[in-house]
């Protein structure tokens, strides 16, 4: 309404609605300085590398604290060894190893080491035998499970197993296909027990690793507990 508009032209219904809206406005919203609200966005600080590193260190400390509490309470934290099967050492192998170790730590496995071996049957078998002698609970291999001439991980694994567990390999293939990880779904990988160590082959794509570890760790815990029950 302009200053010169006569009061007779005011619509009473519109005036009533305006008054009602004013009465219904929450007390907390009245008197807000919208200019100050607009300026809030100017002081939001984007996380820098130092902040992200602090967050990572805090997460690592939390995992370490969890493991320490379990140890104090007499609960055994399963130990794992990660074996990357790759002819080419480099950044890719390092990233794969870091990813597997991170996923194991998230599921509260202690990772003894991440090692890389060439895609040769003797090298893979030697690494697995070292894991078994070292008494780790889980030895997981990454790679070498395809149909290429140098994909020998299943053959090397079969040579060290005392007993196979087909259900683990089947579960990994099924979940791999379901999540779209073709290399996991078509993997020739096997799983089983050597001594007191659970040995499992995984494909090497990130999807196969992420899905495979999510499927694998609860199954491995079950097998470990089952073996412990019979060893008591």
């Amino acid at each position: 309404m302009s200053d010169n508009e006569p009061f007779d032209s005011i619509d009473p219904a519109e005036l009533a609605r305006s008054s009602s809206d004013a009465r219904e406005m929450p007390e907390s919203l009245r008197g807000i300085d919208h200019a100050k609200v607009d300026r809030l966005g100017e002081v939001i600080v984007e996380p820098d590398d130092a902040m992200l590193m602090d967050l990572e260190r805090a997460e690592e400390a939390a995992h370490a604290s969890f493991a320490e509490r379990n140890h104090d309470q007499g609960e055994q934290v399963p130990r794992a060894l990660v074996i990357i099967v790759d002819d080419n050492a480099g950044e890719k192998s390092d990233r794969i190893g870091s990813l597997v170790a991170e996923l194991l730590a998230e599921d509260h496995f202690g990772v003894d080491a991440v090692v890389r071996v060439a895609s040769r049957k003797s090298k893979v078998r030697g690494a697995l035998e070292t894991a078994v002698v070292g008494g780790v609970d889980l030895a997981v291999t990454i790679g070498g499970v395809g149909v290429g001439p140098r994909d020998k991980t299943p053959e090397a694994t079969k040579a060290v197993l005392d007993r196979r567990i087909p259900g683990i390999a089947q579960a990994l293939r099924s979940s791999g296909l379901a999540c779209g990880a073709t290399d996991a779904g078509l993997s020739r990988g096997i799983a089983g027990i050597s001594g007191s160590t659970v040995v499992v082959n995984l494909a090497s794509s990130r999807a196969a690793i992420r899905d495979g570890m999510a499927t694998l760790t609860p199954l491995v815990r079950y097998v470990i507990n089952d073996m412990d029950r019979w060893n008591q």
Side-chain angles (χ1 to χ4, degrees):
M1 182 182 70
S2 65
D3 293 340
N4 298 326
E5 184 177 355
F7 285 100
D8 293 342
S9 65
I10 296 176
D11 184 353
E14 182 179 352
L15 180 60
R17 284 196 301 271
S18 300
S19 300
S20 175
D21 291 342
R23 286 194 302 271
E24 293 174 0
M25 180 180 293
E27 185 67 30
S28 59
L29 297 180
R30 298 177 187 175
I32 291 179
D33 186 342
H34 293 283
K36 289 184 179 180
V37 173
D38 293 339
R39 288 196 299 272
L40 288 176
E42 300 175 4
V43 298
I44 296 177
V45 179
E46 292 293 332
D48 55 14
D49 291 341
M51 185 181 298
L52 293 175
M53 288 293 293
D54 288 340
L55 290 174
E56 290 180 4
R57 283 193 289 268
E59 183 177 2
E60 291 173 358
H63 287 311
S65 176
F66 177 88
E68 184 177 352
R69 288 198 306 272
N70 281 353
H71 179 75
D72 293 340
Q73 296 170 5
E75 297 181 17
Q76 187 68 32
V77 176
R79 295 166 50 214
L81 179 72
V82 180
I83 303 169
I84 309 299
V85 182
D86 192 348
D87 286 328
N88 302 311
E91 185 178 346
K92 179 181 177 182
S93 294
D94 293 341
R95 287 199 305 267
I96 290 174
S98 297
L99 174 60
V100 179
E102 177 186 342
L103 294 173
L104 283 168
E106 287 178 358
D107 279 323
H108 312 301
F109 279 74
V111 180
D112 281 16
V114 177
V115 299
R116 186 197 65 82
V117 298
S119 186
R120 293 170 52 189
K121 184 177 177 180
S122 60
K123 297 294 185 182
V124 177
R125 179 174 179 173
L128 289 173
E129 289 174 343
T130 299
V132 173
V133 171
V136 298
D137 298 290
L138 170 65
V140 56
T141 69
I142 309 296
V145 294
V147 296
R150 293 185 63 80
D151 290 330
K152 301 293 186 181
T153 301
E155 288 76 15
T157 302
K158 183 179 179 180
V160 303
L161 292 182
D162 299 322
R163 185 176 298 178
R164 292 179 65 169
I165 309 177
I168 291 180
Q170 291 167 3
L172 292 171
R173 279 189 280 272
S174 296
S175 62
L177 283 175
C179 80
T182 306
D183 59 335
L186 299 179
S187 167
R188 296 190 304 113
I190 62 176
I193 299 170
S194 180
S196 60
T197 300
V198 182
V199 182
V200 182
N201 305 149
L202 290 183
S204 59
S205 71
R206 290 183 68 86
I209 292 170
R210 287 191 175 278
D211 178 77
M213 295 306 300
T215 302
L216 175 62
T217 50
L219 300 178
V220 169
R221 285 186 180 277
Y222 179 90
V223 174
I224 292 172
N225 291 335
D226 199 30
M227 288 192 294
D228 288 343
R229 180 168 60 88
W230 287 105
N231 290 333
Q232 290 177 354

